[in-house]
Amino acid sequence: ILIMIIWKPLVPRKLKIIPSPLVAVTVATAIAWAMKWPVIRIDLPQQLFSEITLPAGAQLVRLLNGEILLAALALAFVASAETLLCATAVDQMHTGVRTRYDKELMAQGGGNMLCGLLGALPMTGVIVRSSANIEAGGKTRISAIMHGAWLLLFVMVLSNVLRLIPTSSLAAMLVYTGYKLVDIKSLRKLLDYGRGEVAIYIATVVMIVVSGLLTGVLVGVALSVAKLLYAFT
C-alpha cells in the first residue's frame, strides 16, 4: 500500500508509465521470496486444461435440487449486482464508451453458463481490473478483451511466477483501490435526498463489511423498498 501511495509523487516522469500496483506486487513478491516467509501464495494448477471437467449425468440431475437452485440464484444476484456497481463506477472514471447494462448482463449470463459447463468459477465485472485498465490507458471494450487474453496467457505460460505472489499483496491492492473509490462528495449529495438515503447507505456498508456482499446488498435493497413503500403511503 505504501509503494502504491508514494510511487507517482516521487518517481521521475518516465517511470510513471509503470503502474504502481505492478511495482508494489513485484516488490512484495521479491521480498517474500528472498526472506523465505511462510506466507500464503497464489494457488494455480500445474496443468490448466486438466482442471476443465464437463458435467456427467449424475451431476446434471442435481439441477433439480432446491438448495443448488437457490445457491445459483444467490450467485446470479450477487454477480449481477457486483457487475452493475462496477460498470457504474467505471463510467464515472472515464469519458469514453458508456456501459449498456442489459448487454453487459446478457454477456455475463452467457459467459457464466460456459463457466458452469466447464467446471469454472462464475465471473463478474471487477473494479480492480477495470480501474487498472483505465489507468493503463484503455479506452474501448477491446482493452477489456485483451485484459482477459493477457490473464489467460500469464496463467498458461507464467504460472510458476504467479505462484510466488503473496495473496496479501493482492488484498492490499483491493484495499487501496476501494479506498480511492470512496467519494465523500457523493455521500454529502445524498443528504439532498434526505437522511434516510444516508442511513441506507451506511447500513449497507456496515452489513457488507460484517456479513458479506450478498447480505449487505439484500439489506440495502430491503431498506430501499421499505422506504419506497413508506413514501407511497
Side-chain angles (χ1 to χ4, degrees):
I1 289 176
L2 181 62
I3 290 172
M4 287 187 284
I5 291 172
I6 67 174
W7 178 250
K8 286 191 176 181
L10 296 184
V11 299
R13 181 176 297 179
K14 292 182 178 180
L15 292 178
K16 290 182 180 180
I17 193 174
I18 304 174
S20 58
L22 177 61
V23 178
V25 171
T26 301
V27 172
T29 302
I31 292 174
W33 176 79
M35 302 296 291
K36 297 182 180 180
W37 287 338
V39 295
I40 300 173
R41 292 176 169 82
I42 291 179
D43 184 22
L44 289 174
Q46 293 294 333
Q47 295 293 331
L48 180 63
F49 292 105
S50 65
E51 298 296 312
I52 297 176
T53 54
L54 294 174
Q59 292 172 314
L60 291 174
V61 172
R62 297 181 66 194
L63 290 174
L64 303 176
N65 187 314
E67 291 183 0
I68 289 180
L69 288 175
L70 187 62
L73 287 173
L75 277 173
F77 181 83
V78 172
S80 300
E82 183 170 353
T83 294
L84 294 177
L85 291 169
C86 173
T88 302
V90 168
D91 279 351
Q92 296 174 358
M93 296 170 68
H94 69 95
T95 57
V97 181
R98 302 289 92 181
T99 300
R100 293 169 59 183
Y101 293 107
D102 289 345
K103 191 174 182 180
E104 189 79 19
L105 289 181
M106 288 176 65
Q108 179 172 290
N112 278 335
M113 287 181 183
L114 290 175
C115 286
L117 185 66
L118 299 176
L121 290 172
M123 59 183 182
T124 70
V126 180
I127 191 61
V128 175
R129 291 201 300 270
S130 299
S131 60
N133 212 357
I134 292 172
E135 289 181 9
K139 297 186 180 299
T140 69
R141 292 188 176 94
I142 296 296
S143 64
I145 296 173
M146 289 303 300
H147 198 150
W150 282 115
L151 285 172
L152 179 60
L153 180 65
F154 276 35
V155 170
M156 293 176 62
V157 179
L158 299 175
S159 57
N160 289 333
V161 176
L162 296 180
R163 289 191 190 96
L164 297 175
I165 298 176
T167 56
S168 53
S169 65
L170 302 182
M173 286 176 56
L174 286 171
V175 170
Y176 182 66
T177 303
Y179 167 76
K180 289 199 300 181
L181 288 171
V182 174
D183 188 355
I184 301 299
K185 292 181 180 179
S186 295
L187 182 56
R188 290 171 180 167
K189 287 180 181 178
L190 280 179
L191 284 172
D192 296 339
Y193 300 95
R195 294 180 180 178
E197 298 292 340
V198 177
I200 292 173
Y201 177 96
I202 294 173
T204 303
V205 170
V206 170
M207 290 307 298
I208 287 175
V209 173
V210 172
S211 301
L213 181 63
L214 176 60
T215 304
V217 171
L218 288 176
V219 168
V221 171
L223 291 175
S224 299
V225 171
K227 183 177 180 295
L228 187 65
L229 291 174
Y230 177 77
F232 280 151
T233 55

